[in-house]
Amino acid sequence: MKTVREVLADADARRVAVGHFNISDLGALKAIFAGARSLQLPVLIGVSEGEREFIGVKQAATLIKSIRETYDYPIFLNADHTHSLDKAKEAAEAGFDEIIFDNSQFPFDQNLINTKEAVAAIRAINPNIVIEGEIGYIGSSSEIVEVRPEASLTMSTSEEAVRFVKETGIDVLAPAVGNMHGLLKSMIDGGGAHKEISIERIAELKTAIASVGGKFMTLHGGSGTSDANFSAAAKAGMTIIHVSSELRLAWRRGVEEALKDSNEIAPYKLVAPAVASIEKIVIDRLKLFNSLPQD
Ligand SMILES: [Zn+2]
């Protein structure tokens, strides 16, 4: 079976993106794995600091490893948005496949210094782990917000991307390209609004980082992106695409639906509609990331 690094290299060579989906319960994990498996595509499972505190850091690692080995399937675990070095080390020690060390809350130079230090500390624990660093501001949480944060409109430059990749030694760069975490209210109220990400900037950054041996890039905050932009982002050079808020919303709506006019108390039956709709979103998104026909 391919390692996570080989999976990323393969996606990069074919200009498709690996789907990254967050979980905080077994229902979502079941749905994401079933969706990816139905298409026979590799998949990354993400757990933020809050999500892994809920599941358990070691427990999350054990769970994903167990599925990978039982089904001989390329499913991998990422420590999503890890803001402290202690939490990054904890994830590395637990056996995570990827860690996003995210110090983008600091000014660029401080972010660079901290990330470089984190890369060394993480590699000392596991030299094979994939490490992602983040530049620019793309918002901080997978929630539904009224207005777009002003700072998220500023995009990362080629100069910043090159310097950051070269000096930190990260494997994957998460730049700001007009993307943001969470969903805007106008995206879910039927108005059909979408996030405007810059495909041109993605292509520019991809070319720029290649000059210093940089390969992989991640699109965060994929929820609410138009279908055409998802496929275009992968083709332009995004190697990983994150989707979380859409799954959270589907979970909530599914559970609300199940609770309506029902006396059911079995949790696994109550989450069944949510699991089904999360699986459907995962399949739809993975098809777009891989430019496969939608049906
Ligand atoms: Zn993110």
Side-chain angles (χ1 to χ4, degrees), residues 80-81 100 134 138 181 220-221 242:
D80 204 5
H81 298 289
I100 301 182
E134 183 165 326
I138 53 174
H181 285 123
H220 282 258
H242 282 222

Side-chain angles (χ1 to χ4, degrees), residues 79-280:
D80 204 5
H81 298 289
T82 306
H83 299 284
S84 77
L85 188 53
D86 281 349
K87 287 211 157 55
K89 285 183 182 167
E90 188 187 22
E93 274 156 8
F96 278 54
D97 304 291
E98 188 197 346
I99 292 178
I100 301 182
F101 184 76
D102 177 4
N103 263 197
S104 62
Q105 70 268 28
F106 291 107
F108 183 85
D109 287 329
Q110 191 62 50
N111 180 13
L112 190 151
I113 291 165
N114 295 358
T115 303
K116 186 178 178 179
E117 188 185 308
V119 168
I122 295 166
R123 292 222 196 284
I125 296 167
N126 176 1
N128 296 320
I129 206 160
V130 170
I131 307 172
E132 179 172 329
E134 183 165 326
I135 54 173
Y137 180 78
I138 53 174
S140 56
S141 65
S142 299
E143 287 169 350
I144 295 160
V145 293
E146 295 273 353
V147 283
R148 191 179 170 122
E150 182 76 27
S152 72
L153 294 168
T154 305
M155 294 195 278
S156 305
T157 65
S158 291
E159 196 186 2
E160 287 169 338
V162 165
R163 219 187 123 206
F164 201 80
V165 168
K166 191 178 160 198
E167 294 185 28
T168 60
I170 51 165
D171 302 294
V172 187
L173 177 72
V177 290
N179 50 326
M180 63 165 260
H181 285 123
L183 283 163
L184 289 174
K185 249 201 162 106
S186 58
M187 290 169 180
I188 63 163
D189 63 7
H194 288 293
K195 288 177 190 169
E196 288 304 323
I197 54 172
S198 171
I199 303 304
E200 294 74 26
R201 186 61 62 103
I202 295 170
E204 255 176 68
L205 297 177
K206 184 79 168 179
T207 307
I209 63 167
S211 70
V212 286
K215 267 197 169 75
F216 311 136
M217 295 203 302
T218 296
L219 179 68
H220 282 258
S223 295
T225 302
S226 70
D227 288 3
N229 266 353
F230 266 135
S231 299
K235 283 204 181 102
M238 285 297 183
T239 330
I240 302 170
I241 300 180
H242 282 222
V243 172
S244 174
S245 304
E246 290 179 350
L247 307 188
R248 289 181 163 189
L249 183 64
W251 191 95
R252 184 188 164 113
R253 285 180 174 164
V255 170
E256 278 173 350
E257 191 57 37
L259 291 170
K260 213 190 292 169
D261 309 318
S262 163
N263 292 318
E264 184 58 62
I265 60 166
Y268 73 92
K269 290 181 184 168
L270 287 171
V271 297
V275 169
S277 62
I278 291 172
E279 184 179 340
K280 191 184 173 306

